[in-house]
Structure formats: C-alpha cells, structure tokens
Amino acid sequence: MKKHLRYLLTLLLVMVASVGWAEETTTTYLFTSKAWAAKLGDGVTTADWTSGKDGGQYVANQGVQVTTNATGANATSPISFSNVTRIVVTYNTNKSKGNGTIKVQVGDNSEKSLAVAYPGGGVDGTSANFTAIFDNIDNESGNVKLTINCTTNSIYIKSIAITCDEGSSTAATTSVTINSSGITNTDIYTGTAAGQLTATVNNDDTDTAIEDATVTWSSSNEGVATVAADGTVTLVAEGTTTLTASYAGVEDVYKSSSATYELTVTNSDPDKPGSLNNPYTVAEALANTPASGTSADVYVRGIVSGFYSSTITGDGSNYRYYISDDGTTTNQMMVYKGKGLNNVAFANDDDLLIGDEVVIKGGLTTYNNSTKEIAANNYIVSLNRNTSKVAMPTFSPAAGTYSEVQNVEIATATDGATIYYTTDGTDPDATSTEYTAAIPVAQTMTIKAIAVKEGMTDSEIATAEYIIKIITVNPKNIGSNYFVKVTDAADLEDGDAILIVYEDDAKAMSTTQNTNNRASALVTITNNTIEPGTEVQKLVLTKTGENWMFYTGALGFLTAASSGSNFLRTTADPDDNANATIEITDGNAAIIFQGNYTRNDLRFNANSGQMLFSCYASSSTTMKAVQIYKEVERTSVNVTIGETEYATLYYSDVNLTVPEGVTAKTYKANGTALVELDSYNTGDVIPAGTGVVLNGAQGDYTFAITTESGTASEENMLCGSDEEAETTGGAKYYMLSLNADSDPSSIGFYYGATDGAAFTNKAHRAYLAVPEGTEAKATGYAFNEVTGINDITREQVTDGVWYTIDGKRLNGEPTVKGIYVVNGKKVVIK
C-alpha cells in the first residue's frame, strides 16, 4: 500500500491527516503548554489537542502539571484514529510522590484507567520517565480523550503515543482538505460574520473525492470564534482558535481523518477597551491580566498612589511605582520598571508625584502567580498633574512591621499646605491634630493624614498602618567572660549570655553571619569551661512564653529560614521561626525552631570545608548535636602546673587567694640577673593585674576569687592579658619555657621571638617584659640561677670550655664546688 501525504498550504492552514501503513502506525504527541498545545513526535509539526480543562502549569522537561487543584484536567486529540490497539502515556511525578489515575477513551468506547502511585525518590523530570501503558484496546476508532485525576501532590503528563493496527482493516485511507477562501473577515470591529469554511474528503488510495462525505466542525476556543455545522464561522472576540473538520469514516470502507484551520481574530476598533482612546481603568486592567505570560501592550489610566522606592536611582529607567483608580492604596497595581513621559527615563524625584493622573502603555502580567502588574518596558504616554488639588501626604518610614519605636514623618509635595492627622482610625479633616513634628509610634497604630491649602482642593486621605513588635531583651550583663557547660535546660534563664558550641572540634558559633549560616571560631575548653575571644558570638537568651529566642546584638535574632535549604539567618523582625525550644540530654542541646519551616534543627556541620552552624531537618543524622555554655560569676580560677613544676598566672580584674602547695612570685630583670620581688604563700592574696610565677608539685590548683586586697611591687616586670594577645609594655619579651635543649632543670624565662621581639601570649599567662633603658643582655633567665645566661639558650655550645655562672672562662675543669656552664649546659660540682 502506498503512503500518500498531501499538504494544502494556505494562509493559517495546517493539515493533519491519517497515514496508512502496511501493519502498525504510532502517532506521538509532545505536550508544550498547560492548555494541551502539542507537537508531533518530530518536535516541529504543531498538532494541538482541544482542552476540556487546562493543567495547572507547563514545566519544561516534565510536561503539563496536574495538581490536586487541577484534577480532572483533560484534552481530546486533534484527529480521529481508526483501529486503536495501544496507547502509552509518558509522565513524571514530583520529588515527594504523586498519586492519582490516568484515563484514556477512544471515541464512544469505554474509558480505560490506570493508577499512578509513585513513592518519590528525587525524580526531577530529567533523570527518569514513567509510562502508563494501555494495551487492552480492541481496534477502537474515534478521537482520543486523555483525563488525569490527581489525589496527591502532582502528576506531570509529558507525551502520549497512539498505535493503530492498519493491517486489520481493509478500509481506505482518507484525508480532509479545508477550503478557507470563504473566510472574508477576521476583524471583529468590521463585524462578527467571518464567512464559511468548506471541506472535501479524499480517498487517498484512489486519489479521488468521496461523494456525499460529511464532516463535523468544532472550535477549540469558542470564546474567540464559533463554527456551525455547515462551516459558517462567527467571530466572538480577539484571539486565536483552531477550527477542526473531522470525517468519521465508514467501517471497513473508509478510515477516519481530519484537518485543522487556525483562525486569528483581530480588533481594529480604535475605541476598544485598553486602547489609547479608551484606556483600561486599573480595575479593568487587574481583571484582564493573564495568569501566565504577558499580554499585548494596552493602555491603562490611573492615579499614582505610591512608590516602591521614593528616590530615582541609576539611570531612572527601572523606576517602580503604584497606580489606582482613586489615588489610594486600595486595589492598586504595580508599574514595574517603567519609563516616564514619552518613553524617556525618569531623571528627578519630582518627575512623578503621588496624585498625578497618568496613562501608561505596556503589557499586563502576573508575577510569581500572585502579583498583577504592568510589565517591564512600559512608559507613560500622558501625565496630568492636578495643580488645583493638594498632593496626598506621604509617610516616612513607610507603613509596615517594626521591632522598635518609629518616629513617623508626614510630608506633602504641595508647598504651603498644612497636614492634619488622626491615630484613632477616624478620617482627618481641618479640625484634627495639626502635624508639626515626627510622631513617635511605640505600639501598633494606624495614622491617617490629609493635606489642606486655602484655594485648593483638599488632598486624598493617606493611611499608614504601623505594627510594632518590640521584644525586650534583658541581658544579665555578668561580664565575667567565663562560661560553664549547661547540662539541664532548667538552669537556663531569661537574659543569660550563652555560647553554642560543638565540643568535639572545640568550635563555637562565631560573630560572622554568612548569607545562610553561621561560621565557627576556635575555643579552648578546660574542665567544661570556656573563656571565649571576641570573635565568638555571645547570645542573649530571651524568654518568649514557653520558647526561647537568641539575640545576637545589632544583627537581631537567630532564625530558621527555609524548608528546602539548610539556612540559619538573623532577623531584626523575628516571627515564630525565630522562637525555639531547648531540651538538653546527656549534655547535648536540641534547639528546634517552632515556625513553619521544616529545616529547623540547629546543628553543627563538621564536614571538611564546612565547620559551620545552620538549621537542618530534624531527622538528620550526619549533622552534629551542639552544646550550650552559660556565662556565670567566676568564684575561682583553675590552674594546671606541669612536670616542670612551674607556671605563670595573670588576671586583670580579680584578686586571687594562693592555695596550699603553691608559691607565687614576682620578678624583675636587673642586667643579666632575675631578681625576686614578692613571694605569696598559702592564704596570701595576689592583687588583680599582677603577673606571677607559680611553683608547686605537678597538678591542678584552684585559686579562690576574693574581695580581700593584696600588694605587689611596682617594679614587677611580669605582665599579661585576659585574652590571647601580642606582648606589650617592654623593649624585650620573655616567655616561660625550657632552654633550647629542653633541659628540665633550665625552666625560666627565654626569648619568645627572635632578639626578644614581641610575640603572641596566651590568655591569663604572664610574660617578662623588660622595659627600654633596663640592661637586658641575657637571652634567658633560669629560676635556679643567680644571674642570667648570656647567648647560650638558642644555640648549642659544644666547645668543651667551662664557664662560671657569671660568664668567666676557666682554664680546664673546675675543682671548686659550685654551678658551672659547659657545652651550653649547667653542671653542679659537689
């Protein structure tokens, strides 16, 4: 059997005809819009289906989305099929899951149904497709109807393939040809009568016309045009519709076929709604804004009611403002990124004022499925400034929700006008309170204002509502910078200063707020205590009913910020997403934010390259639990003395009582000698700001903080700091250490950097700072020597020469008892 393809190319005419094959033929349609527009399997030829109910939206690479809101979406094939034996529908579901049914029906035959119940698993439409296969179709004929019912989430319909068994039929292949020469009018302004379409049916096997063959006419969009049984077309409104002529065929004689004709209806009426002569009102523009896409350019008349930004920025071509029919903020419409009069960019703030009446040319669109607006690239074609009417007042700051007291200023663009206002919800007039200074708004308040000037019409009433949510933070201000681990949530109180910590990596939340998470900073944890540096975030706990908020200071409050991503942000306007519960089990804190976001569990990401705090799903097992440390009054100081039996100590703001088993001493350098100044024994008080050297057996010692006073020599050269910092206060600096040979008996003070330069000293440790003008030739001072050791602590001396402790060279090994130096080491001769 020969295959015949015939195309009649006329204006706006598309032919889709049945094609005969020796055995089976499969026709595939790829859907391209939520209204079931489609292309054949070649991806080029248009073959739109007739929509009975649109899908929710079209998603590239996935197809027509049918949600529970769009359940029952359906469409019918553009042509009739003969001897259908199989239909395959290709679909996807969303990432969670999609449940429902897919149904097909051929002609008047019974409907077939298959269930869709995919359990999810991350399918995004590009990595996998699924098929509903209907192979229980017994040589049925007619147009194919596809129906989708969705009961959970979404089902995406990508394509449909229809297979016909041509070998089982002896019927001749047919084709329909539409003659559009009878269409004489497509402009509804001229009239609604468009003319008449005619159709002929051809026997493709014999290439002859079929006498007495009749077709059935239909329109895909009767809101644009209708077609009668005899092909007479009546115009209804602007738009495009597809008119179809369908031949049903004769069983076992002629196969069915059809053809389509695309009709575009125009309207040249210069006074039609939305034209320059008859602009839309704002209400009409809102009503005619499409749910998706952007309309052709129309004209809209309105009164400027407000500004997205009150200042012209950049080149002025992206200015955004609002218009309404009455100049108020009720039922207003955004004018998005437009230009001024005659398509010229705005240049000055007074190019456009509240109260100006404008006509704007531009397309209508819906942003983010919710906000109707005049699309970008619009411009003003006329502007009328009513100079006889006072300009409506404006408010600064703008109406909104705030977390602190606002001082609201009111202004009008009309010079010499007087403003009156109310705060009780009543409309103001010239008898209301006169505006003379900023209005303090400390609680939720609605301000209404009117501007009045003699000889002019009063302005419209302007209204601004201010919602004040003041959250009182009451920090305890202990100021000890001494934090202890919290093991029971009952120990937490309003106003506590806390740290959020991950102990295993010695990390605490830092003051660095990244875009969507918090960085970490290194801390030293000693016996479940922390003395953090300035880079660590100290949070103030704020009690809110049964929950807690975490105040960071200038940035505001920590908050969860997403259900789809791992976000931890800060906000100055906290809501439920900034409120959290705290439970502590086995020392680990579960901090769960209580808003509408599901990624709300504050944890630590210890993965390589991360090391940050953020919010994760509560089911996460890879992110680490955190711990809470609370600032408390310091009552004692713990010090560890190592195997050298020496340590140093410095606290700037507390007096310390020496415990049993330890002595504390102060020193100064005098040339090459280290001179002891003060000695503190058990029960003595080391005054605040005094650096000391501790001597005692190896172990941990507790120095009680006391209000009793002590004294220290003013000549003490031992200095320190409460945080890790660079040494100051001297010309040369020494740190407690062993000599270069790590000789245990050499414990003393040695250069901490080359030539005694400044070095970074640990918090609460003392160092020796020898001031300018003090002879300090020694590179090191040992505690068990009377004088300093010159030039032997940083290099190993191996010449075998003996020296006295004060540096005198001897001729050979000494015979007198005493302490000597040889090869850089001290030797005692007994």
Side-chain angles (χ1 to χ4, degrees):
M1 181 183 294
K2 295 182 178 179
K3 177 175 69 174
H4 300 277
L5 298 176
R6 175 175 296 170
Y7 297 94
L8 179 60
L9 302 177
T10 59
L11 179 63
L12 299 174
L13 180 60
V14 177
M15 295 296 298
V16 181
S18 300
V19 179
W21 292 84
E23 295 181 356
E24 286 189 341
T25 61
T26 298
T27 304
T28 300
Y29 296 89
L30 309 173
F31 294 112
T32 60
S33 83
K34 70 174 186 177
W36 304 103
K39 293 185 181 299
L40 291 179
D42 61 7
V44 177
T45 306
T46 299
D48 296 340
W49 284 46
T50 301
S51 175
K53 180 178 180 180
D54 289 355
Q57 64 175 334
Y58 175 76
V59 180
N61 296 320
Q62 287 183 265
V64 180
Q65 182 191 34
V66 179
T67 63
T68 54
N69 292 330
T71 190
N74 66 87
T76 303
S77 65
I79 64 172
S80 176
F81 292 88
S82 298
N83 303 310
V84 177
T85 59
R86 177 185 173 94
I87 295 176
V88 178
V89 179
T90 301
Y91 69 94
N92 294 303
T93 69
N94 72 357
K95 292 182 180 180
S96 298
K97 63 178 180 178
N99 291 331
T101 56
I102 297 176
K103 299 179 180 181
V104 296
Q105 182 179 17
V106 181
D108 296 328
N109 295 284
S110 61
E111 191 174 57
K112 279 78 174 173
S113 176
L114 285 176
V116 173
Y118 179 67
V123 175
D124 61 7
T126 61
S127 58
N129 293 316
F130 305 94
T131 53
I133 301 175
F134 299 86
D135 52 11
N136 57 340
I137 304 174
D138 187 16
N139 292 298
E140 296 173 359
S141 299
N143 290 75
V144 175
K145 181 179 180 181
L146 172 66
T147 303
I148 299 90
N149 291 320
C150 180
T151 57
T152 306
N153 289 319
S154 302
I155 300 172
Y156 298 84
I157 303 301
K158 197 166 189 179
S159 65
I160 184 171
I162 302 166
T163 300
C164 299
D165 184 0
E166 299 294 340
S168 65
S169 174
T170 60
T173 303
T174 66
S175 60
V176 177
T177 301
I178 295 177
N179 185 345
S180 63
S181 62
I183 299 298
T184 59
N185 174 41
T186 58
D187 185 355
I188 195 170
Y189 178 58
T190 302
T192 59
Q196 186 177 25
L197 294 172
T198 59
T200 57
V201 182
N202 196 63
N203 181 338
D204 289 350
D205 291 350
T206 61
D207 198 18
T208 59
I210 301 174
E211 296 183 4
D212 301 325
T214 60
V215 297
T216 301
W217 293 95
S218 62
S219 171
S220 65
N221 189 348
E222 293 189 344
V224 173
T226 61
V227 58
D230 63 355
T232 299
V233 178
T234 301
L235 307 181
V236 178
E238 284 185 275
T240 299
T241 184
T242 300
L243 305 178
T244 302
S246 299
Y247 173 61
V250 177
E251 187 174 357
D252 294 330
V253 180
Y254 296 116
K255 296 178 181 178
S256 62
S257 59
S258 64
T260 60
Y261 171 69
E262 188 176 86
L263 175 68
T264 298
V265 180
T266 60
N267 185 356
S268 62
D269 183 1
D271 297 317
K272 67 181 179 181
S275 65
L276 179 60
N277 291 345
N278 184 20
Y280 279 145
T281 64
V282 175
E284 289 171 335
L286 290 170
N288 285 280
T289 300
S292 61
T294 302
S295 74
D297 283 352
V298 295
Y299 295 84
V300 183
R301 185 190 307 277
I303 299 172
V304 178
S305 56
F307 296 96
Y308 182 84
S309 173
S310 58
T311 303
I312 301 290
T313 58
D315 65 2
S317 63
N318 291 328
Y319 205 35
R320 289 176 278 179
Y321 56 97
Y322 299 91
I323 60 174
S324 65
D325 286 325
D326 58 5
T328 69
T329 56
T330 302
N331 296 324
Q332 63 184 2
M333 187 176 202
M334 174 177 273
V335 184
Y336 182 72
K337 290 188 176 181
K339 293 185 179 181
L341 193 61
N342 300 322
N343 207 14
V344 176
F346 293 100
N348 302 295
D349 291 346
D350 60 359
D351 283 352
L352 194 66
L353 301 176
I354 290 178
D356 286 350
E357 183 179 289
V358 293
V359 175
I360 301 165
K361 181 181 181 181
L364 306 178
T365 191
T366 300
Y367 172 70
N368 201 24
N369 295 322
S370 61
T371 304
K372 296 181 178 182
E373 61 189 27
I374 301 179
N377 301 315
N378 64 80
Y379 64 92
I380 297 173
V381 296
S382 71
L383 186 152
N384 178 28
R385 184 162 294 168
N386 186 354
T387 57
S388 65
K389 186 174 184 178
V390 181
M392 187 168 66
T394 58
F395 300 91
S396 179
T401 301
Y402 297 91
S403 59
E404 57 186 3
V405 174
Q406 298 298 303
N407 290 310
V408 178
E409 297 179 345
I410 312 177
T412 176
T414 303
D415 291 337
T418 302
I419 298 173
Y420 299 92
Y421 70 94
T422 63
T423 58
D424 60 2
T426 61
D427 290 343
D429 56 27
T431 65
S432 301
T433 304
E434 181 179 347
Y435 173 79
T436 58
I439 304 168
V441 180
Q443 58 188 3
T444 297
M445 177 185 295
T446 298
I447 303 176
K448 292 186 175 183
I450 191 170
V452 176
K453 184 176 182 180
E454 186 175 356
M456 299 180 68
T457 302
D458 294 349
S459 75
E460 301 288 344
I461 295 175
T463 302
E465 181 182 14
Y466 295 88
I467 299 173
I468 306 299
K469 293 182 178 179
I470 298 178
I471 299 172
T472 303
V473 179
N474 298 306
K476 291 184 177 179
N477 294 322
I478 292 175
S480 66
N481 199 45
Y482 182 71
F483 291 76
V484 298
K485 185 174 182 178
V486 179
T487 58
D488 188 342
D491 294 335
L492 296 173
E493 298 176 349
D494 184 54
D496 280 345
I498 67 166
L499 311 177
I500 296 178
V501 177
Y502 178 58
E503 292 173 330
D504 287 358
D505 285 340
K507 294 286 189 178
M509 183 179 293
S510 84
T511 56
T512 300
Q513 174 67 57
N514 300 323
T515 302
N516 294 314
N517 52 60
R518 272 296 176 115
S520 62
L522 191 66
V523 291
T524 299
I525 304 174
T526 305
N527 297 326
N528 287 331
T529 66
I530 298 175
E531 295 181 52
T534 56
E535 71 278 8
V536 174
Q537 176 68 68
K538 300 173 185 177
L539 300 162
V540 178
L541 273 182
T542 303
K543 190 69 172 174
T544 56
E546 297 299 318
N547 298 327
W548 300 93
M549 298 176 71
F550 305 90
Y551 183 63
T552 67
L555 292 177
F557 297 85
L558 295 181
T559 182
S562 176
S563 288
S565 300
N566 302 319
F567 289 171
L568 174 66
R569 295 175 176 170
T570 52
T571 177
D573 183 21
D575 56 16
D576 288 346
N577 296 295
N579 283 263
T581 59
I582 301 176
E583 294 182 2
I584 299 179
T585 305
D586 297 331
N588 294 325
I591 301 173
I592 309 296
F593 290 100
Q594 297 299 296
N596 59 319
Y597 296 122
T598 55
R599 300 205 179 187
N600 58 353
D601 189 350
L602 199 161
R603 290 174 176 256
F604 183 73
N605 186 340
N607 293 330
S608 176
Q610 298 295 313
M611 295 295 175
L612 52 85
F613 294 86
S614 198
C615 286
Y616 302 90
S618 295
S619 59
S620 173
T621 58
T622 58
M623 301 304 145
K624 306 301 183 181
V626 298
Q627 297 79 41
I628 292 177
Y629 280 65
K630 167 183 172 178
E631 187 177 37
V632 297
E633 295 281 1
R634 186 192 296 272
T635 59
S636 62
V637 170
N638 295 319
V639 178
T640 299
I641 296 179
E643 61 183 4
T644 64
E645 299 186 345
Y646 282 90
T648 62
L649 179 65
Y650 175 88
Y651 275 84
S652 68
D653 54 356
V654 292
N655 300 328
L656 301 173
T657 302
V658 178
E660 186 176 352
V662 179
T663 59
K665 296 182 179 181
T666 61
Y667 292 91
K668 73 173 183 177
N670 185 12
T672 60
L674 192 63
V675 179
E676 178 185 322
L677 298 173
D678 304 299
S679 181
Y680 303 94
N681 299 309
T682 303
D684 290 342
V685 176
I686 304 171
T690 302
V692 295
V693 173
L694 306 178
N695 180 219
Q698 181 177 355
D700 295 329
Y701 297 87
T702 299
F703 290 71
I705 295 175
T706 180
T707 56
E708 296 181 10
S709 60
T711 59
S713 171
E714 294 182 355
E715 296 182 275
N716 183 22
M717 294 183 183
L718 296 178
C719 302
S721 58
D722 292 324
E723 296 179 357
E724 185 175 290
E726 189 172 88
T727 56
T728 60
K732 290 185 179 296
Y733 301 95
Y734 302 80
M735 65 186 295
L736 181 70
S737 68
L738 301 175
N739 66 7
D741 295 329
S742 298
D743 180 359
S745 64
S746 69
I747 185 70
F749 283 101
Y750 299 92
Y751 280 166
T754 304
D755 295 329
F759 60 89
T760 300
N761 187 57
K762 299 284 188 180
H764 300 304
R765 294 187 184 177
Y767 57 89
L768 182 66
V770 179
E772 189 76 38
T774 300
E775 184 182 10
K777 297 179 181 178
T779 58
Y781 300 91
F783 291 135
N784 59 1
E785 297 178 350
V786 178
T787 60
I789 303 169
N790 289 299
D791 304 323
I792 64 171
T793 60
R794 295 302 178 193
E795 290 185 23
Q796 178 65 49
V797 180
T798 58
D799 56 5
V801 178
W802 289 79
Y803 297 84
T804 63
I805 197 67
D806 59 358
K808 294 180 180 179
R809 180 170 177 156
L810 301 177
N811 294 321
E813 182 176 345
T815 58
V816 179
K817 295 181 180 180
I819 300 175
Y820 300 87
V821 177
V822 62
N823 293 331
K825 295 183 178 180
K826 295 175 296 179
V827 177
V828 178
I829 302 296
K830 297 181 179 180

